[in-house]
Amino acid sequence: MTITRVTQSMMTERSLTGLQGSLGKLADIQEHLSTGRILNRPSDSPTGTAAAMRLRGAIAQQQQFARNAEDGLGWLNTADATLQSTNDQLRTARDRALQGANAATSPAAREALATEVEQIRAGVLAAANTSYLGRPIFGGTTAGSTAYASASPGAGLPEVVTYTGDGGSVSRTVAEGVSIEVQVDGEAAFGPDGDSVFDHLDALAAALRSGDTAAIRAGVDAVTADMDRVGSALANVGARAVRVEQATVRAADAETGLASSLSEIENTDLPQAMVELQMQEVAYQAALAATARVLQPSLVDFLR
Amino acid sequence: MTGTFSSVNNALSALRYHQVVMDVSSGNIANVSTDGYARRRVIGEAMGAPVQPAMWSRYEGAGDGVKVGGLQRMVDQFLDVRARREHGNQSFLDVRQSVLERVEAGIGEPGENGVAAALDEFRSGWHVLANNPDSEAARSQVLARAATLADALSVQRRNVEVEEGDQRIVLLSGVDEVNTLAGDLAETNRSIAVAQMNGTEAGVLLDKRDALALRISELTGASATLNAKGGLDVTVGGVALVSGSDAGVLAVSSGINADGTADGGPVGFTVTSPGGTVTDVTGGVGGEAGGVAELLTTTLPAHRAGIEAVAQRLADDVNAAHGAGFDQDGNPGQPVFTFDPTDPGGPLVLNLDDPRLVAASATGGGPNRNGDNATAVADALSGAAGAYQRLVTGFGSEVASTRRLAGNQQALTGQVDAAREQLSGVSLDEEMVTMLQAQRAYEAAARVMTTIDSVLDTLINRTGLVR
């Protein structure tokens, strides 16, 4: 555009527009610095907004996965400790039984051994009813508060332990589409009703009391089989705990990675913004100075 | 042969002429910052031989001085037409930009307080419930977060509705302003016609006429053409609004009721001529009114429908997943969200009020501590989250594109305004020079008069005297 004629108001207008533009850029940088974000509204960068929203969702999800895994680990650790102590108790019971199988053991001593085996049975029952956060860990998804109930089937008959859990699975989602079972099926760890570790210990105590050596030996074999079963449940729990632990680490790693991606999209690059601010300030001051000098003089100042 | 005193008259005409030049110059200086003022220039004409009155009559003079031939208003019709068009486009885009930016500010994304965040919270609430299906706290938390999410969605929807309501009022008052301006313009046109007939100087009226036409164009995108009597005829969307000294009445014929509520249809305009004929404006209204009409007819309802679609998707997905599970008493899950039957397409309503009714369990038939269905509901939320992201991104793109368009238009409008200013603007330097010239010329003419006076003095008082 060739300018043939320039008037005062043209210059005023143009300086004002220029100053406004300059000040607007200054305000933009100011916003980036004061909010610490370059993405303050969707229109700042529509694609960036989509990415930021996806990343925020993914971060929330990974945090939740980490919490789920943490909770699952609590379950598995409790199961692990419980099964470990059960195993120890069963080993003690087997040792006592082997003592009782010795023909030199007096009836009074066998009575004491039988009582100890009964104590162990009560201890294992308490372990089988261990709960985590108010839920019996061997009870599956039962709504009740115990996994095993000990009750007498009829008047005068000895108490019998029955499984009251439902064997349902309890799982924790530890990654997208990955859920790991954290419960231990009571019947898999302690044996089915009628052939359970409790039945075996009852039989063993009775055999010790009666001094039936053959029955004691059979009881020792049964308890050894029970120990194998508990041991395999323990190995199973350990393997799952490792998976859940790995998932925890993966979720934390993923969260860190996602958070840094989000920051890259959303947050202000401070050094860059500071340099831009400095440059824009200089530009604005120059514009102000130029405006002040250009707007002042007219021919009026020079004609006398 | 010229008369003895004709030279005095000659000098007198110069005095008068330069007086006028100085007056006009001072008028220009006085209006240096008046909006819509176009500078004036005095056209001087040398007075010379009159027309030959008769075959043998002869003009013997050597010029009879100067006279004011007229005042020229420095404007260019074509630039004015261009300016009106660009200003109309500018206000169309400006109003769109400001409204869309306001709606955008209400979205609050990306951030910690938007719908997306509420959705994430809702999702993790279900996960927590899956971990502790029998926890009363986890159940209540799911319900509380469901209510928060429904609120967040309905706040966004309400933002759009409030903006729509505001813009309907803006449009109605804008149309009122157009009608007032159209009436003023018709009146100004009449005054101009009268002034032209009288031969009176009509510069101020012409300034007013141009300013009114420009404002009508800003409001409606109307185009104006010069008529034979010096007035401007204005047409909106191809329909005559102002024709000479007659002004029609622009009205919103559909889309908005008189009380400012929506009637559900697209916004339409009519012009009622002074004769009472009602004509639909089919050619499209531009400017501010056109921008608001488009927002009300297309842009804002589309965004509102988008929010409603996200709400619907959320309700459908969550209800379907929830219905597949069983609540704490072993009964099948009821819908989590419903819509108010009296307000179709309205906000989501939380349907469950008892935490026991939250269906966390995937196995029915009685109370249990299964939490698998809670996980299934959490997984079902990704569809609604994706739909919401697309909605926000789409709206953000629209705002960004409108802002870019308005910026480009700003450059164009600025250029046209500069071109107008270049022609019509008052330059103080120029006026100083003109004034100086006029002053010197006035002084010279006065000197001429003194000289003639002294010549005449010699002739009258000294001729024949012998000393």
Side-chain angles (χ1 to χ4, degrees):
Chain A
M1 186 174 64
T2 16
I3 295 182
T4 49
R5 203 172 159 271
V6 179
T7 69
Q8 266 73 20
S9 52
M10 269 170 88
M11 278 168 45
T12 319
E13 199 63 38
R14 216 179 286 168
S15 326
L16 271 179
T17 314
L19 286 181
Q20 277 298 316
S22 194
L23 203 55
K25 281 184 201 144
L26 209 53
D28 280 350
I29 299 174
Q30 191 71 38
E31 187 190 28
H32 292 169
L33 279 172
S34 59
T35 59
R37 298 163 49 141
I38 49 172
L39 207 57
N40 287 297
R41 52 192 75 77
S43 61
D44 285 346
S45 162
T47 45
T49 305
M53 285 170 72
R54 263 204 311 278
L55 287 171
R56 279 174 180 277
I59 288 173
Q61 212 164 8
Q62 293 299 341
Q63 285 171 340
Q64 187 58 46
F65 288 150
R67 278 196 292 272
N68 292 351
E70 215 61 62
D71 184 78
L73 214 51
W75 274 71
L76 290 170
N77 286 343
T78 310
D80 185 82
T82 309
L83 290 174
Q84 203 81 55
S85 89
T86 306
N87 212 13
D88 293 347
Q89 292 187 73
L90 290 181
R91 185 174 297 116
T92 316
R94 194 179 57 177
D95 290 350
R96 298 296 172 269
L98 287 173
Q99 274 179 38
N102 195 335
T105 314
S106 69
R110 277 208 303 275
E111 176 63 32
L113 290 173
T115 311
E116 195 175 348
V117 168
E118 276 170 0
Q119 293 295 328
I120 287 171
R121 171 187 169 282
V124 172
L125 178 61
N129 276 329
T130 301
S131 66
Y132 178 69
L133 296 179
R135 292 181 64 177
I137 55 171
F138 298 104
T141 57
T142 177
S145 55
T146 57
Y148 284 92
S150 176
S152 171
L157 292 172
E159 292 206 337
V160 174
V161 173
T162 48
Y163 184 56
T164 54
D166 62 3
S169 88
V170 176
S171 48
R172 294 288 173 262
T173 311
V174 294
E176 191 74 59
V178 178
S179 71
I180 298 179
E181 285 193 12
V182 296
Q183 101 291 5
V184 178
D185 187 358
E187 293 189 305
F190 300 102
D193 281 351
D195 188 23
S196 70
V197 62
F198 309 106
D199 300 323
H200 299 154
L201 288 173
D202 277 339
L204 186 59
L208 280 169
R209 221 166 247 131
S210 63
D212 180 350
T213 318
I216 293 174
R217 292 216 178 277
V220 167
D221 289 348
V223 170
T224 308
D226 285 337
M227 281 172 66
D228 286 350
R229 199 161 42 205
V230 170
S232 87
L234 204 52
N236 189 324
V237 167
R240 281 187 279 163
V242 169
R243 278 181 69 199
V244 174
E245 254 164 25
Q246 282 169 349
T248 317
V249 174
R250 257 202 309 276
D253 285 354
E255 193 197 329
T256 315
L258 290 168
S260 90
S261 303
L262 178 65
S263 165
E264 210 143 286
I265 292 173
E266 263 193 8
N267 292 116
T268 311
D269 179 352
L270 282 181
Q272 190 194 343
M274 289 306 296
V275 171
E276 275 174 13
L277 179 69
Q278 204 72 44
M279 276 165 56
Q280 201 57 48
E281 259 174 15
V282 171
Y284 183 57
Q285 277 163 6
L288 278 178
T291 306
R293 294 179 69 149
V294 158
L295 288 187
Q296 262 175 359
S298 77
L299 200 50
V300 184
D301 300 318
F302 301 101
L303 290 175
R304 291 282 175 259
Chain B
M1 231 0 237
T2 53
T4 313
F5 292 102
S6 67
S7 299
V8 182
N9 283 328
N10 210 331
L12 178 62
S13 78
L15 289 181
R16 283 184 179 147
Y17 172 75
H18 286 108
Q19 186 83 50
V20 172
V21 170
M22 277 191 277
D23 279 353
V24 168
S25 190
S26 89
N28 282 343
I29 292 171
N31 285 300
V32 68
S33 56
T34 306
D35 241 7
Y37 179 81
R39 77 191 157 104
R40 321 278 204 257
R41 202 165 62 183
V42 183
I43 310 290
E45 277 178 15
M47 288 199 287
V51 285
Q52 296 279 319
M55 188 66 143
W56 303 109
S57 71
R58 287 174 58 203
Y59 174 66
E60 298 263 313
D64 289 332
V66 67
K67 69 171 182 186
V68 176
L71 280 186
Q72 192 184 4
R73 210 171 140 262
M74 304 298 286
V75 290
D76 178 349
Q77 283 305 323
F78 299 108
L79 266 182
D80 285 354
V81 169
R82 184 86 198 280
R84 282 192 285 271
R85 192 171 59 228
E86 301 307 346
H87 274 265
N89 291 345
Q90 181 77 58
S91 26
F92 177 87
L93 290 168
D94 282 353
V95 74
R96 272 182 72 78
Q97 185 188 348
S98 66
V99 169
L100 291 182
E101 281 182 351
R102 250 197 317 274
V103 173
E104 187 192 23
I107 292 181
E109 300 288 357
E112 284 99 25
N113 305 311
V115 168
L119 208 54
D120 290 341
E121 292 265 282
F122 187 49
R123 193 206 313 261
S124 71
W126 283 104
H127 274 293
V128 170
L129 178 62
N131 294 347
N132 308 290
D134 56 336
S135 155
E136 176 87 16
R139 285 170 178 274
S140 303
Q141 177 171 274
V142 163
L143 289 187
R145 288 183 175 177
T148 310
L149 178 58
D151 283 350
L153 274 169
S154 69
V155 162
Q156 287 217 357
R157 187 171 168 280
R158 204 157 46 237
N159 276 345
V160 179
E161 279 176 344
V162 166
E163 193 60 51
E164 282 176 308
D166 287 355
Q167 290 309 315
R168 282 194 290 271
I169 304 293
V170 166
L171 185 55
L172 289 181
S173 59
V175 165
D176 283 349
E177 189 185 347
V178 169
N179 289 330
T180 314
L181 291 168
D184 289 355
L185 181 59
E187 184 58 34
T188 309
N189 281 346
R190 205 181 58 77
S191 305
I192 291 172
V194 170
Q196 274 195 344
M197 222 138 33
N198 294 345
T200 324
E201 158 59 26
V204 176
L205 290 171
L206 297 179
D207 283 348
K208 189 176 170 195
R209 175 199 73 184
D210 288 350
L212 286 169
L214 182 62
R215 181 70 189 135
I216 293 180
S217 293
E218 279 177 355
L219 286 171
T220 62
S223 58
T225 46
L226 199 60
N227 64 24
K229 291 175 180 170
L232 280 175
D233 291 344
V234 173
T235 52
V236 176
V239 181
L241 178 65
V242 177
S243 173
S245 53
D246 293 329
V249 176
L250 183 70
V252 177
S253 58
S254 62
I256 306 177
N257 298 320
D259 59 356
T261 53
D263 75 357
V267 175
F269 297 91
T270 55
V271 172
T272 310
S273 71
T277 322
V278 179
T279 318
D280 281 335
V281 182
T282 48
V285 172
E288 222 173 283
V292 174
E294 185 174 309
L295 283 168
L296 285 175
T297 307
T298 317
T299 317
L300 293 178
H303 184 53
R304 184 159 46 85
I307 297 171
E308 279 162 13
V310 169
Q312 184 73 53
R313 175 84 190 264
L314 176 74
D316 290 349
D317 289 358
V318 170
N319 289 348
H322 192 253
F326 300 90
D327 65 19
Q328 214 168 5
D329 298 319
N331 300 317
Q334 298 170 21
V336 179
F337 296 112
T338 54
F339 289 91
D340 185 349
T342 62
D343 184 9
L348 285 180
V349 179
L350 186 59
N351 187 42
L352 304 180
D353 48 359
D354 183 355
R356 293 187 66 81
L357 293 177
V358 177
S361 171
T363 51
N368 59 53
R369 280 178 172 133
N370 185 303
D372 291 347
N373 198 53
T375 310
V377 176
D379 291 344
L381 289 172
S382 56
Y388 180 67
Q389 279 168 17
R390 281 194 295 281
L391 176 71
V392 170
T393 312
F395 192 72
S397 304
E398 184 150 9
V399 178
S401 120
T402 306
R403 191 181 296 154
R404 256 195 311 278
L405 286 176
N408 290 347
Q409 182 67 39
Q410 186 79 57
L412 191 57
T413 313
Q415 207 176 34
V416 172
D417 281 348
R420 272 181 98 204
E421 177 65 25
Q422 197 175 312
L423 176 69
S424 309
V426 176
S427 159
L428 287 178
D429 298 351
E430 208 173 72
E431 297 305 328
M432 289 306 292
V433 171
T434 310
M435 227 155 61
L436 214 64
Q437 267 179 347
Q439 189 190 354
R440 293 298 179 211
Y442 191 92
E443 284 169 11
R447 177 61 59 86
V448 168
M449 207 166 256
T450 317
T451 310
I452 293 169
D453 184 42
S454 127
V455 168
L456 287 176
D457 180 49
T458 309
L459 181 69
I460 295 166
N461 295 324
R462 305 221 188 264
T463 310
L465 287 183
V466 180
R467 219 169 26 116

